[in-house]
Amino acid sequence: MTDKKRIGVLVMSYGTPESMESIEAYYTHIRHGRPPTEEQLQELKDRYAAIVGGVFPLREHTNKQVEALQQALDAGGGDVEFVCFQGLKHASPYIEDGVRQIAEAGIQDAIGIVLAPHYSVMSVGSYIKRAEAIASELGISFRFVKSYYARPELIEAFAERVKEGLARFEGGDNQVRVLFSAHSLPEKILQMGDPYVDQLLATSKLIADQVGLPSWQFVWQSAGRTADPWLGPDILDVMQNLQREGVKKILSCPIGFVSDHLEILYDLDIEAKQLAAELGIHFERIRSLNQDPRYIGLLRDIVRELADQAPGQYDM
C-alpha cells in the first residue's frame, strides 16, 4: 500500500487585524509601508469598535472557512491528501508565509484559491502574483483558480439568500429594489481590459434570473480614498437617488464578498442602514455565505478538479 500523494491548498484572502492593537500595522501594510495619520488610524479603529464583537468575528469567519474546506476535502477520500494552508494579503500569516509553510511540510505540488469569486488583476491577480513569486524560489508547482463567478452552486447559494431577504418585506417583491454590490476598484482597470466588472454583472444577472427579480441594479461600495477615481456609482449615492424616485424598500446583496467583514458589518449594516433610516427606506441585507455548505462544497470541488490540471491559472 503506497502513501497518498500530498497536495497543498493555499487559501488566500484579504486578511483582517487580530486585535485592536494590530490595526496600525495592518493599515500600514495596506498603505505600502506608509503609516496612517493619527486621524486616519482613529477612524479605522472606530469602525472596528462599532462592530459587535470588534475585530474578532471577522478573522474567525475566514479561519472557519479554511477549517471547513479541510474537513470537506478529508471527507472526500481518494488517493490524494489535501493539506490546507492560509495566506493573507495584509495580515499574518501572509501569502508568502503560507507558501513557505507548504514547502516546510515537504509538499511540492499545490493549488491556490482566493476567497473571492471574481477576478481582477488588482485583487485576485495580485494574490496570485505574490504566491507565484515565492513558489518559484521554493520549487513549488502551483495551479491557481482565477475566478468561479458563474458556478451553479454559488448562484444557488446567493439566490436562496435573496429569496430569504425579499421575504422580510411586506407588500410583494415588485416594490423592493435589489442592489447587488462589490468592492469598488480604481477606474483605471477599465483601460486594462480587466474582467472584474463583466464578471460581477454576469453573477448579478444569473442570480436575478434564478430568483425572477422584477427590479434590480448593480452598485459599488467601500471605495478607497485616493486621488485616483474609483468605480461608481456608490451605494450611498444610489440610495439617495432611489429615495427621490420614490423607492421605499432596498435589499442589499453584496455578492463580491463571501463572508462578514468590515465592508459588510460596517459599510452596509451600520453606514448604509443609518442612511436608509434618514431617508425613510426599509433596508435589509442578505446573509453572507460564510461557512455555507454549498460554498464550501464548491471550493472543495474546484480544488479536486484542479488537482488533475497542469500548473497554471484557471477560470472555473
Side-chain angles (χ1 to χ4, degrees):
M1 184 175 178
T2 58
D3 292 334
K4 287 186 176 183
K5 177 183 179 181
R6 301 176 79 213
I7 296 180
V9 181
L10 181 65
V11 185
M12 295 175 280
S13 61
Y14 194 82
T16 57
E18 293 185 272
S19 65
M20 296 294 284
E21 292 71 31
S22 61
I23 290 177
E24 184 172 6
Y26 170 74
Y27 204 175
T28 300
H29 193 273
I30 291 174
R31 291 168 50 83
H32 307 287
R34 294 178 291 110
T37 65
E38 284 297 321
E39 187 177 20
Q40 290 170 328
L41 179 59
Q42 190 58 51
E43 182 183 4
L44 186 57
K45 284 185 174 181
D46 289 345
R47 286 177 170 240
Y48 279 111
I51 297 170
V52 176
V55 301
F56 303 106
L58 310 183
R59 191 64 171 260
E60 189 176 350
H61 284 303
T62 302
N63 293 342
K64 286 183 176 179
Q65 284 175 321
V66 178
E67 292 168 9
L69 176 57
Q70 182 68 70
Q71 292 170 4
L73 289 166
D74 290 345
D79 56 359
V80 175
E81 178 188 357
F82 294 97
V83 186
C84 290
F85 300 83
Q86 196 169 162
L88 307 177
K89 187 175 183 181
H90 292 300
S92 179
Y94 293 100
I95 291 169
E96 294 78 6
D97 297 330
V99 178
R100 289 192 189 95
Q101 288 171 7
I102 291 173
E104 290 166 2
I107 299 173
Q108 295 180 309
D109 196 10
I111 291 167
I113 189 166
V114 180
L115 297 176
H118 308 89
Y119 179 89
S120 170
V121 68
M122 295 187 70
S123 59
V124 173
S126 68
Y127 294 61
I128 293 174
K129 185 176 180 180
R130 280 174 56 178
E132 282 182 323
I134 187 70
S136 63
E137 293 178 16
L138 299 174
I140 298 175
S141 176
F142 256 101
R143 312 160 194 74
F144 291 99
V145 184
K146 290 176 64 179
S147 66
Y148 47 93
Y149 64 94
R151 292 283 292 233
E153 303 94 330
L154 183 75
I155 304 306
E156 289 166 9
F158 275 127
E160 178 186 89
R161 283 160 169 73
V162 171
K163 292 174 183 175
E164 287 177 358
L166 291 172
R168 296 183 214 140
F169 295 89
E170 296 180 359
D173 298 354
N174 60 340
Q175 296 180 8
V176 181
R177 182 66 57 90
V178 175
L179 299 182
F180 295 107
S181 67
H183 202 301
S184 180
L185 290 176
E187 281 184 4
K188 62 185 178 183
I189 68 167
L190 300 177
Q191 282 71 54
M192 300 163 62
D194 197 280
Y196 188 58
V197 176
D198 289 340
Q199 289 186 1
L200 285 160
L201 290 174
T203 301
S204 300
K205 188 175 187 307
L206 287 167
I207 298 168
D209 288 348
Q210 184 153 327
V211 177
L213 291 179
S215 181
W216 66 274
Q217 64 193 91
F218 185 83
V219 301
W220 297 98
Q221 64 168 92
S222 312
R225 299 176 184 177
T226 66
D228 296 327
W230 286 56
L231 294 169
D234 184 82
I235 186 171
L236 301 181
D237 296 328
V238 171
M239 288 171 63
Q240 294 180 68
N241 292 335
L242 291 176
Q243 191 261 358
R244 286 190 283 269
E245 294 173 16
V247 174
K248 298 292 185 182
K249 301 173 184 178
I250 291 176
L251 177 62
S252 170
C253 303
I255 58 170
F257 306 90
V258 297
S259 61
D260 286 320
H261 286 299
L262 190 68
E263 294 82 2
I264 302 289
L265 300 179
Y266 185 86
D267 296 359
L268 295 178
D269 289 1
I270 295 177
E271 194 171 43
K273 201 159 192 176
Q274 285 178 349
L275 176 61
E278 294 170 10
L279 296 173
I281 290 174
H282 179 183
F283 180 91
E284 297 281 353
R285 172 181 66 82
I286 64 169
R287 287 187 298 121
S288 294
L289 296 179
N290 293 323
Q291 296 86 52
D292 182 281
R294 271 167 306 194
Y295 180 58
I296 301 302
L298 168 59
L299 298 179
R300 174 203 61 210
D301 292 347
I302 290 174
V303 167
R304 289 191 172 277
E305 290 166 26
L306 279 182
D308 298 324
Q309 302 296 324
Q313 299 180 25
Y314 299 87
D315 291 304
M316 304 298 288

